Amino acid sequence: MKCFFAFFLLFYCALPGTAQPGPHSTRANNSFILTGPQGNRLRITAYGDYMIRVQAVRNKEEFFPDDHYEMVASHNWPGKLVQSKTKGWSGFTTGVKGGIAVRINNEGMIASFYRNGASIPFLKERNSTQWEGDSIRTSFISDTSEHFTGLGHGYFGRVENIDLRGQRISRNYGTEHRQQAPLIVPFYLSDKGYGIFLNSTFPNTFDFGNNAGYAFSIQGDGRMDYFVILGPSFTRILDRYTQLTGRPRLPLKAFFGLALSDKGNDHNSPDPSDEQWWKKKITEHRAAGFPLDHIVNDNRWRAGGGQRCLSYFDWDKTRYPDPGEYQQWVKKNGLITTLDFNRCIAVQSEGWKPSFNLPQNEGIDFNTSAPDFTKKEVRDWFWNTMWSKSLNPALRYPGDALWIDEFDEMGKAPVTMKFGNGTTWLEMRNYWFFLVAKSLVQQGWDKSFNGTKRPFVWVRGMTAGAQRYATLWSGDINSTYEDMKTQVRGLQLAGLSGFPFWGHDAGGFHLGDSKTTPGDSMYSQWSMAWGSFTPFWKPHGVGKSRWPLDRPEAVRKDARLYSELRYKLMPYIYTYARRASETGIPLARAMVIDYQKDPLAWKSDLQYMWGNELLVAPNCSDSDHVALWLPKGKWYDFWDDHSINGDRVINYPAPVGKLPLFVKAGSILPMANYALSTAFIHEDTLTLHVYPGKDAAFTLYEDDGITENYRNRNEKRTTAITFNHASFSLKIGASAGAYIHSPQQRAYTIVFHGMSRPLCFEVNGTSIKKLALSWDAEKKTQTLSIQRFPVTKNIVIKTCRQ
């Protein structure tokens, strides 16, 4: 027998007579089950070549069936475990070089995890799984230098540090009324190059090297069940995690435009909203040059009073006499509409039955309106209400998205409450948001629309795995700079937890009963500047109006600046949104994603990468400077093209309204011409901003922005664009693919930044006339124009002799 790697010596080269008595093992499909002397069992299962699932039960306990939870999207994975035995150990490996392997200590059934070919484990249990009272705990040997991140976020998206080292964290549904919007994702990443997903909805606690060591535990009659996911890069771990739990669903393109609501214009307002209010507001807003894509209805559209809890899910025919006519106007103006559902209106909505309520509802606000989503009939009723009252295309009514509110405020229900499926509230409450999302999308939207319109559902709270159906926003946050900081971090952790399309109320929702918040400076800094660099740009709340036209002219100037930039960047934003839905790598990328091993990345959590090319560092204070870290390499100040070398922390001047924004050298930024709606953007023109200093590449992604034909029928287009720094040449590759109304020709404007002098250029061997070239001596940029060119042809732009 020959062995060529140390790993194989450990796992496959046991000499005759060296194997020791250990746990009895049996094979079941793609798993091995080890039984210890006390009857405890351990099941090891391969999910592909880079993930291993570990399940532990006590004597006479059974493993939960795979479909006990649906957070894992599929358990049908390729991959095969190979078993070996050596002195004191049982080994299991996927057998692929660089894949994952686990060794089980025969004496204590303690697991150690390796990369195939390595002799040192990257993760090692301290003890086998322990049962103590109603707690089940798995602990690991702690490394004081190890960093951790992920695990969703707490209530209101509030996060103090994205580095979890030294912290004890619980990610659970609240137990008090106003514990809003938890992102319950028991998944984390380690800078050692692995991730762990705890596949349980029982209450959890995670210790990351604090006094309790490095461990996680669940409370209740659950089962220890976790996945170890090998990277080593964070991008690989996120990719594999979202393969396991489901890819984030790509929203409508309009989702990435500006969203504004009628909050504050209720029945107590001197200017209450109705159909005419919206038409007037939007017309004036657009006439002033501001874009808008997304009408967010907050109660007033609903029949029965139009108030938060004094209404029901249907169109009010007094305020909206003809919803069909209104929808024609909405569509003509390139808009989409969100309809809201507060939990308290369930009892008043058509088709509700008392039997739909939770089995025990004492202690819950609006306790006669608490749907039991463990019942299929309730899930069916929930979707059918939305469908029959507005979303059914046959009605021709407005309705493109659903805002599901206040299902996070049932925490006072007794944990012993038992459901018809045999589970209890202790187990189900962390799963609740998944059931809400599943009822509306998997069992509702997907079947009813059959791919003709993408689902867009946002809920106040989310659960692991539900990213394949819906997203969330962070609840009724405060209009303070301290809360703004927590939201910057919450955005990043959402992205690190499989939810790249996270949203929040930009500018904060409220500050007590204040009628003047957010103030104008905060509105510029947060609602406009930073808000425009978040996935779901939604200024919303009580107090002072969030509509730009209702602010002073100086503030409107900032609103115009960031609105225009947001819409110009739409080809860039939408491309990275698609990548997020394909790979789980978020659009707003914490610095640790790209700079996993740099200590400064773990400290720099008030900044992030927006895609691969842009660095954003919002000013979360009244100060006129922002301290930010520029990683190693050359960077360009987006606003003035000044170049600066990185690998240092700088103190950047950032007066009110100026967002620190940098472009990485070796970048291509595609931009559209400005339009007042994503629906009005002309896709037959494109501007490419090239930032030299290194080679660059960008693959533009396009589709119809509405249907799911991009994944059901492969109706999409990609265009590879590359820049070679040494030859100073740009190639726009022939586009691959097509979709409905995709342009056949395209005009390009190319802007080269960081130039020392103007150059002569040729396109496909033909010199460009001087009239098609322009030089900005102050910014050191050169612009060239290319008239319409077939998208099926390559375009090569090179320098030529003067």
Side-chain angles (χ1 to χ4, degrees):
M1 183 177 183
K2 296 181 179 180
C3 295
F4 299 98
F5 301 100
F7 171 78
F8 292 103
L9 286 170
L10 288 169
F11 281 80
Y12 295 111
C13 296
L15 295 175
T18 60
Q20 299 295 313
H24 172 69
S25 64
T26 58
R27 183 162 197 155
N29 298 322
N30 204 29
S31 301
F32 282 91
I33 299 175
L34 288 79
T35 304
Q38 304 301 318
N40 292 2
R41 286 179 295 156
L42 200 64
R43 182 157 66 187
I44 307 296
T45 310
Y47 280 61
D49 296 322
Y50 302 96
M51 293 186 286
I52 279 182
R53 182 183 185 186
V54 180
Q55 297 166 273
V57 294
R58 290 177 289 189
N59 187 23
K60 298 183 180 180
E61 279 186 342
E62 296 299 326
F63 298 107
F64 281 165
D66 285 344
D67 62 358
H68 187 78
Y69 305 120
E70 297 179 57
M71 294 183 292
V72 172
S74 171
H75 294 276
N76 184 22
W77 280 75
K80 183 179 180 181
L81 277 180
V82 177
Q83 182 184 25
S84 64
K85 293 183 179 181
T86 189
K87 186 176 181 179
W89 298 91
S90 295
F92 305 91
T93 174
T94 55
V96 175
K97 185 177 180 181
I100 192 168
V102 60
R103 295 172 63 193
I104 309 297
N105 177 287
N106 286 346
E107 184 177 346
M109 292 180 67
I110 298 171
S112 299
F113 299 88
Y114 295 77
R115 176 181 291 275
N116 284 350
S119 58
I120 299 174
F122 60 81
L123 177 67
K124 186 174 182 179
E125 288 184 346
R126 179 177 293 278
N127 307 108
S128 59
T129 297
Q130 303 290 309
W131 287 263
E132 299 174 1
D134 68 346
S135 177
I136 311 171
R137 179 181 174 86
T138 295
S139 60
F140 302 92
I141 293 176
S142 180
D143 180 346
T144 56
S145 66
E146 188 171 6
H147 294 271
F148 306 93
T149 191
L151 275 179
H153 61 58
Y155 310 122
F156 298 99
R158 289 175 180 146
V159 178
E160 298 301 323
N161 194 328
I162 72 163
D163 186 354
L164 308 181
R165 185 171 68 176
Q167 298 186 50
R168 164 170 276 197
I169 295 174
S170 295
R171 288 289 183 253
N172 298 307
Y173 193 103
T175 57
E176 300 296 330
H177 176 63
R178 285 194 54 78
Q179 292 176 325
Q180 296 179 6
L183 178 52
I184 304 168
V185 180
F187 162 71
Y188 63 88
L189 308 91
S190 162
D191 69 341
K192 285 190 171 184
Y194 68 89
I196 287 183
F197 171 59
L198 177 59
N199 186 36
S200 174
T201 64
F202 282 93
N204 61 63
T205 301
F206 293 81
D207 294 294
F208 293 106
N210 54 14
N211 292 336
Y214 172 20
F216 49 77
S217 61
I218 57 174
Q219 176 193 356
D221 187 26
R223 302 291 187 270
M224 182 55 66
D225 181 355
Y226 66 93
F227 291 78
V228 180
I229 305 170
L230 189 58
S233 69
F234 280 2
T235 53
R236 286 286 180 88
I237 297 168
L238 287 168
D239 182 22
R240 288 165 185 157
Y241 169 72
T242 54
Q243 285 183 63
L244 180 69
T245 60
R247 298 299 195 188
R249 188 70 72 92
L250 182 64
L252 300 161
K253 183 184 285 188
F255 166 90
F256 301 101
L258 177 60
L260 290 170
S261 76
D262 57 350
K263 191 69 181 178
N265 294 89
D266 60 14
H267 60 287
N268 291 321
S269 165
D271 187 23
S273 66
D274 58 14
E275 178 181 333
Q276 295 307 314
W277 181 93
W278 277 108
K279 288 180 175 179
K280 180 175 182 290
K281 200 78 174 174
I282 293 168
T283 300
E284 293 174 347
H285 178 83
R286 289 266 183 84
F290 297 110
L292 185 68
D293 264 75
H294 190 171
I295 296 172
V296 178
N297 287 281
D298 194 343
N299 307 334
R300 285 283 297 170
W301 72 277
R302 297 197 305 241
Q307 299 180 44
R308 170 174 158 254
C309 294
L310 296 177
S311 57
Y312 53 90
F313 196 91
D314 200 353
W315 284 91
D316 183 275
K317 298 302 172 58
T318 301
R319 291 183 291 277
Y320 296 86
D322 187 348
E325 182 277 328
Y326 178 48
Q327 169 61 2
Q328 292 179 27
W329 184 89
V330 166
K331 190 172 182 179
K332 179 181 177 181
N333 282 274
L335 298 161
I336 64 170
T337 303
T338 276
L339 307 176
D340 65 329
F341 189 105
N342 296 80
R343 177 173 60 83
C344 55
I345 71 167
V347 68
Q348 288 127 221
S349 295
E350 187 173 302
W352 173 264
K353 299 177 183 178
S355 61
F356 288 177
N357 225 31
L358 293 178
Q360 294 175 258
N361 55 15
E362 55 268 27
I364 305 173
D365 279 5
F366 305 103
N367 62 359
T368 61
S369 195
D372 178 359
F373 284 101
T374 67
K375 295 179 177 179
K376 185 179 184 302
E377 62 175 334
V378 175
R379 299 195 298 269
D380 290 344
W381 163 82
F382 198 43
W383 168 250
N384 288 335
T385 299
M386 319 290 181
W387 177 256
S388 64
K389 296 301 180 182
S390 196
L391 297 187
N392 187 343
L395 297 171
R396 299 184 179 179
Y397 281 8
D400 304 282
L402 294 171
W403 166 16
I404 308 302
D405 205 352
E406 299 173 353
F407 285 82
D408 52 356
E409 293 188 337
M410 300 191 298
K412 284 187 174 292
V415 296
T416 56
M417 175 173 60
K418 197 163 187 177
F419 296 101
N421 64 2
T423 62
T424 64
W425 182 237
L426 183 70
E427 180 179 11
M428 284 291 102
R429 58 187 179 182
N430 280 350
Y431 200 42
W432 214 242
F433 304 119
F434 186 98
L435 294 176
V436 171
K438 175 184 175 180
S439 71
L440 292 175
V441 179
Q442 184 201 61
Q443 296 179 331
W445 196 299
D446 285 347
K447 293 179 179 179
S448 297
F449 281 106
N450 195 29
T452 58
K453 183 188 285 188
R454 297 174 200 172
F456 180 24
V457 177
W458 38 295
V459 185
R460 202 170 71 184
M462 266 288 120
T463 302
Q467 70 270 8
R468 59 189 189 261
Y469 305 133
T471 189
L472 77 157
W473 91 106
S474 59
D476 298 346
I477 57 175
N478 293 327
S479 295
T480 65
Y481 282 121
E482 284 307 306
D483 244 14
M484 182 182 176
K485 290 176 184 177
T486 70
Q487 300 304 294
V488 175
R489 300 185 186 105
L491 162 65
Q492 295 172 64
L493 284 186
L496 284 161
S497 304
F499 285 85
F501 306 125
W502 178 93
H504 80 300
D505 293 340
F509 177 77
H510 65 170
L511 190 60
D513 295 325
S514 173
K515 303 296 184 185
T516 60
T517 55
D520 290 337
S521 294
M522 182 175 286
Y523 181 84
S524 289
Q525 300 274 64
W526 185 354
S527 301
M528 293 293 107
W530 179 47
S532 68
F533 280 85
T534 60
F536 187 6
W537 185 19
K538 178 176 65 74
H540 168 80
V542 297
K544 203 168 182 179
S545 171
R546 305 309 198 267
W547 288 70
L549 203 56
D550 295 336
R551 297 280 174 157
E553 180 53 40
V555 182
R556 294 182 201 175
K557 183 179 178 181
D558 291 333
R560 288 191 185 93
L561 172 67
Y562 292 105
S563 295
E564 290 187 12
L565 181 56
R566 171 76 170 208
Y567 278 71
K568 286 180 178 179
L569 279 170
M570 199 55 64
Y572 177 87
I573 292 169
Y574 194 64
T575 293
Y576 276 110
R578 172 57 178 152
R579 291 187 193 177
S581 74
E582 287 180 303
T583 66
I585 300 168
L587 171 57
R589 302 161 71 159
M591 302 304 293
V592 296
I593 291 180
D594 294 313
Y595 304 96
Q596 181 175 333
K597 292 296 185 180
D598 197 312
L600 280 174
W602 290 89
K603 297 177 181 178
S604 304
D605 60 7
L606 290 178
Q607 62 181 69
Y608 55 89
M609 298 299 297
W610 186 243
N612 185 59
E613 287 80 7
L614 291 169
L615 186 153
V616 180
N619 189 347
C620 302
S621 72
D622 284 322
S623 170
D624 60 1
H625 283 75
V626 172
L628 62 93
W629 170 57
L630 289 176
K632 189 176 181 179
K634 181 180 177 182
W635 297 82
Y636 292 87
D637 186 322
F638 179 85
W639 303 112
D640 62 13
D641 266 15
H642 174 71
S643 64
I644 184 171
N645 290 323
D647 201 18
R648 56 181 172 142
V649 175
I650 64 171
N651 198 26
Y652 183 81
V656 170
K658 184 175 183 181
L659 176 75
L661 184 61
F662 289 84
V663 188
K664 188 189 300 182
S667 292
I668 299 169
L669 299 183
M671 292 193 188
N673 290 339
Y674 177 58
L676 297 177
S677 164
T678 57
F680 300 155
I681 291 174
H682 293 289
E683 295 177 339
D684 59 354
T685 59
L686 193 68
T687 298
L688 300 176
H689 290 266
V690 181
Y691 291 83
K694 294 173 65 177
D695 291 350
F698 189 94
T699 300
L700 179 71
Y701 174 83
E702 300 169 286
D703 61 30
D704 64 30
I706 298 171
T707 74
E708 301 227 289
N709 290 348
Y710 71 95
R711 66 177 192 161
N712 296 338
R713 301 181 182 178
N714 203 34
E715 293 182 7
K716 58 190 176 183
R717 171 176 285 172
T718 57
T719 306
I721 308 164
T722 56
F723 171 73
N724 184 281
H725 181 72
S727 62
F728 215 86
S729 60
L730 181 74
K731 179 181 177 181
I732 304 170
S735 296
Y739 56 94
I740 188 170
H741 304 313
S742 55
Q744 301 306 302
Q745 293 185 322
R746 179 172 276 152
Y748 290 94
T749 299
I750 316 297
V751 183
F752 290 102
H753 296 253
M755 305 275 285
S756 59
R757 60 183 176 84
L759 298 175
C760 168
F761 286 97
E762 61 181 34
V763 177
N764 290 354
T766 302
S767 296
I768 297 179
K769 296 180 180 180
K770 289 185 178 180
L771 290 177
L773 289 168
S774 63
W775 167 252
D776 187 324
E778 182 180 353
K779 283 196 169 185
K780 305 295 183 185
T781 60
Q782 188 167 10
T783 303
L784 58 97
S785 300
I786 301 173
Q787 298 303 314
R788 292 183 178 275
F789 204 90
V791 298
T792 55
K793 304 292 184 182
N794 292 328
I795 302 175
V796 179
I797 302 166
K798 295 182 177 179
T799 56
C800 56
R801 294 182 179 180
Q802 299 282 2

